[in-house]
């Protein structure tokens, strides 16, 4: 089975490149060998009478909200590159584009949202520099220099592995790939293309391997023994059993894992439908209003995929429009607030992979995974990530103090 490119966003990709993308998927799957069982397959065409599973979640980062509070989460997530690189880990990243208004003040103009996998872009960049350059032009509207993509003037002189390292250093980050880490590639890209814009996802947790892992991790009939027999295990017991309680504190991982576990309890095999990718599944745009009207349709621009498989959204006025993003308000019930950044947009976006499950089959007794862990609530505020988020908050506060000019104090004449 050959997967098409994510979202079928690049139909002109050659058959050789498509094979390389499928090899990338296969390699990531093979590295997760400990989680292989009959309840997950990499071939959706092998499923009998497959149906789609309703697995999706909201795109706004959960961790800063439970570590601190929602207003602070919004503040930190909207804080440019630092906020994105540390906090955007729900398989959805964004960049706020600012422009000067008539007075010269910089204001938010629109939000770029992406769910595209870094591994796909890195794969194309590794084997076909011309193709990846065209993809960037298609997304950003200008042809990037070879230096911006690879840090060299002629990437065709590099080997494929050298191109992968160079592209990852400038545009993609290392994605927790050991070969790239060993080559000195930083966690996040150093170049401007994917910092000034949300070209594709770069947070290491938003990777292909993590996506495969969390679905494969969940795809097992986890149960506990009770006086009346076996009973389906709950989220806390499953994540606690494998010492990954922190994953239960996000939107994405519990939704993906528990959806897969529910299918396995029915004896159903789970698969990523073709094409494998991460998609924007819904956008509740009616909550956004401009001058007491629905926002103009041209302010909602989906791309990078066929309908129902979009991987990119640009939301807000264009450069030729006099309006700005913060001229829009968000109306949720009686709560009306100005739209000032991307966090509020992601709160209205549902994302997820397209998951399908096969027919139900009997689950053999030896296939059940019996857990013996506590069902007590997981205390998300105690998660290790909270220390890093508190540090980010302190950095943010310090930056705001540095950015302010204090009142001038007059000296006392003697």
């Amino acid at each position: 089975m050959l997967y098409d490119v994510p979202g079928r966003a690049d139909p002109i990709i050659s058959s050789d490149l498509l094979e390389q993308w499928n090899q990338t998927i296969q390699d990531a799957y093979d590295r997760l060998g400990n989680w292989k069982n009959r309840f997950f397959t990499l071939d959706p065409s092998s499923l009998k009478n497959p149906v789609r599973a309703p697995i999706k979640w909201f795109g706004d980062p959960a961790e800063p909200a439970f570590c601190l509070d929602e207003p602070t989460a919004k503040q930190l997530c909207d804080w440019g590159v630092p906020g994105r690189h540390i906090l955007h880990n729900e398989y959805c990243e964004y960049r706020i584009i600012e422009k000067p208004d008539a007075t010269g003040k910089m204001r938010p103009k629109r939000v770029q949202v992406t769910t595209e996998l870094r591994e796909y872009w890195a794969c194309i960049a590794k084997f076909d520099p011309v193709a990846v350059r065209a993809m960037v032009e298609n997304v950003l509207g200008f042809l990037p220099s070879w230096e911006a993509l690879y840090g060299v003037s002629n990437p065709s002189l590099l080997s494929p592995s050298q191109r992968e390292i160079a592209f990852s250093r400038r545009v993609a980050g290392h994605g927790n790939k050991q070969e790239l880490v060993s080559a000195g590639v930083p966690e996040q890209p150093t170049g401007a293309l994917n910092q000034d814009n949300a070209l594709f996802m770069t947070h290491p947790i938003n990777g292909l391997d993590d996506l495969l892992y969390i679905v494969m991790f969940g795809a097992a009939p986890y149960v506990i023994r009770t006086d009346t027999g076996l009973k389906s295990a709950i989220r806390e017991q499953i994540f606690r059993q494998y010492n990954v309680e922190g994953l239960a504190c996000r939107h994405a991982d519990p939704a993906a894992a528990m959806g897969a576990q529910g299918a396995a309890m029915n004896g159903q095999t789970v698969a990523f439908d073709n094409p494998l990718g991460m998609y924007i599944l819904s956008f509740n745009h009616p909550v956004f209003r401009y001058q007491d009207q629905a926002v103009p349709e041209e302010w909602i621009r989906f791309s990078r995929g066929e309908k129902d498989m979009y991987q990119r959204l640009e939301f807000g006025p264009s450069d030729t429009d006099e309006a700005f993003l913060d001229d829009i308000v968000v109306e949720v019930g009686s709560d009306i607030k100005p739209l000032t950044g991307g966090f509020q947009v992601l709160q209205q976006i549902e994302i997820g992979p397209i998951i399908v499950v096969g027919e139900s089959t009997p689950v053999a007794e030896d296939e059940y995974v019996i857990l013996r862990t506590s069902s007590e609530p997981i205390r998300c505020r105690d998660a290790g990530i909270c220390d890093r988020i508190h540090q980010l908050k302190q950095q943010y506060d310090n930056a705001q103090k540095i950015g302010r000019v204090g009142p001038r104090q007059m000296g006392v004449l003697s």
Side-chain angles (χ1 to χ4, degrees):
M1 154 87 199
L2 277 180
Y3 279 104
D4 295 330
V5 302
R8 301 192 179 94
D10 302 300
I12 61 171
I13 289 296
S14 69
S15 58
D16 287 344
L17 278 179
L18 189 60
E19 288 185 11
Q20 293 292 350
W21 168 234
N22 277 268
Q23 188 60 54
T24 300
I25 297 172
Q26 185 68 50
D27 291 345
Y29 173 72
D30 290 342
R31 288 193 293 270
L32 296 168
N34 291 341
W35 299 100
K36 291 181 180 180
N37 62 39
R38 79 167 180 95
F39 299 103
F40 179 87
T41 178
L42 205 56
D43 183 4
S45 65
S46 67
L47 299 182
K48 187 175 181 181
N49 297 323
V51 296
R52 186 167 173 175
I55 295 176
K56 56 186 178 180
W57 55 87
F58 286 101
D60 56 300
E63 289 176 342
F66 69 67
C67 289
L68 297 167
D69 52 59
E70 186 175 300
T72 308
K74 173 184 175 297
Q75 188 180 66
L76 296 180
C77 288
D78 286 348
W79 188 33
V81 170
R84 175 185 174 188
H85 285 178
I86 293 174
L87 301 177
H88 296 190
N89 62 359
E90 300 281 4
Y91 298 94
C92 188
E93 300 180 20
Y94 66 87
R95 186 73 166 96
I96 304 166
I97 305 300
E98 294 187 333
K99 298 290 180 178
D101 64 14
T103 69
K105 179 183 177 182
M106 296 299 291
R107 293 170 59 192
K109 190 71 173 179
R110 56 188 170 274
V111 177
Q112 298 175 344
V113 179
T114 181
T115 62
E116 288 205 69
L117 297 168
R118 69 164 299 282
E119 288 82 359
Y120 171 68
W121 281 78
C123 175
I124 305 304
K126 179 178 181 178
F127 295 103
D128 193 335
V130 173
V132 81
R133 195 185 194 193
M135 287 162 55
V136 175
E137 182 180 26
N138 175 263
V139 173
L140 300 184
F142 62 87
L143 190 67
S145 68
W146 290 126
E147 286 81 1
L149 288 170
Y150 295 94
V152 298
S153 59
N154 189 357
S156 65
L157 299 179
L158 303 177
S159 69
S161 62
Q162 288 173 327
R163 284 197 292 264
E164 182 183 20
I165 291 170
F167 180 81
S168 297
R169 181 174 286 115
R170 298 288 293 176
V171 188
H174 64 51
N176 282 335
K177 187 174 182 179
Q178 190 53 54
E179 298 91 326
L180 298 179
V181 174
S182 299
V185 175
E187 180 178 289
Q188 292 290 349
T190 60
L193 278 180
N194 208 3
Q195 289 194 22
D196 294 347
N197 302 277
L199 183 58
F200 56 84
M201 296 190 294
T202 62
H203 196 299
I205 292 178
N206 294 336
L208 171 65
D209 53 350
D210 293 281
L211 178 58
L212 288 170
Y213 160 74
I214 198 60
V215 175
M216 293 175 68
F217 167 79
Y222 296 108
V223 296
I224 58 169
R225 290 192 185 278
T226 70
D227 293 339
T228 57
L230 299 179
K231 178 183 177 182
S232 179
I234 64 173
R235 181 186 68 175
E236 285 75 10
Q237 293 166 321
I238 296 171
F239 284 88
R240 187 173 279 124
Q241 176 73 32
Y242 296 94
N243 296 314
V244 289
E245 291 98 325
L247 299 184
C249 297
R250 301 190 182 120
H251 293 315
D253 296 328
M258 299 310 294
Q261 190 254 356
M265 288 297 297
N266 293 326
Q268 296 171 291
T269 298
V270 178
F272 290 91
D273 202 7
N274 184 29
L276 191 158
M278 184 62 65
Y279 304 112
I280 300 172
L281 301 179
S282 74
F283 179 38
N284 185 25
H285 57 82
V287 302
F288 299 101
R289 309 280 290 176
Y290 174 67
Q291 296 182 345
D292 294 325
Q293 302 290 327
V295 296
E297 290 184 8
E298 59 267 26
W299 291 6
I300 306 170
R301 300 177 294 280
F302 289 103
S303 61
R304 296 298 297 162
E306 297 178 350
K307 189 178 185 299
D308 298 325
M309 291 190 296
Y310 295 124
Q311 300 170 96
R312 184 176 185 81
L313 167 65
E314 290 202 40
F315 180 65
S318 68
D319 287 347
T320 59
D321 200 303
E322 294 183 356
F324 282 79
L325 194 73
D326 53 8
D327 292 323
I328 300 171
V329 297
V330 189
E331 296 186 7
V332 179
S334 61
D335 189 22
I336 302 176
K337 294 180 179 178
L339 174 59
T340 57
F343 186 83
Q344 294 158 289
V345 175
L346 264 60
Q347 287 181 307
Q348 306 301 327
I349 289 177
E350 288 181 308
I351 61 172
I354 301 176
I355 300 292
V356 288
V357 298
E359 286 188 345
S360 295
T361 61
V363 179
E365 186 173 347
D366 62 357
E367 290 182 314
Y368 286 107
V369 181
I370 300 174
L371 308 182
R372 296 176 176 82
T373 46
S374 168
S375 61
E376 289 296 311
I378 291 173
R379 293 173 55 85
C380 288
R381 281 182 175 265
D382 295 337
I385 186 61
C386 288
D387 291 338
R388 182 67 190 92
I389 291 174
H390 282 286
Q391 293 173 15
L392 183 67
K393 169 62 172 167
Q394 186 62 55
Q395 293 166 10
Y396 175 86
D397 290 342
N398 292 340
Q400 301 309 301
K401 292 174 184 176
I402 293 172
R404 297 192 190 100
V405 178
R408 182 166 53 183
Q409 295 184 356
M410 301 297 291
V412 179
L413 295 176
S414 56

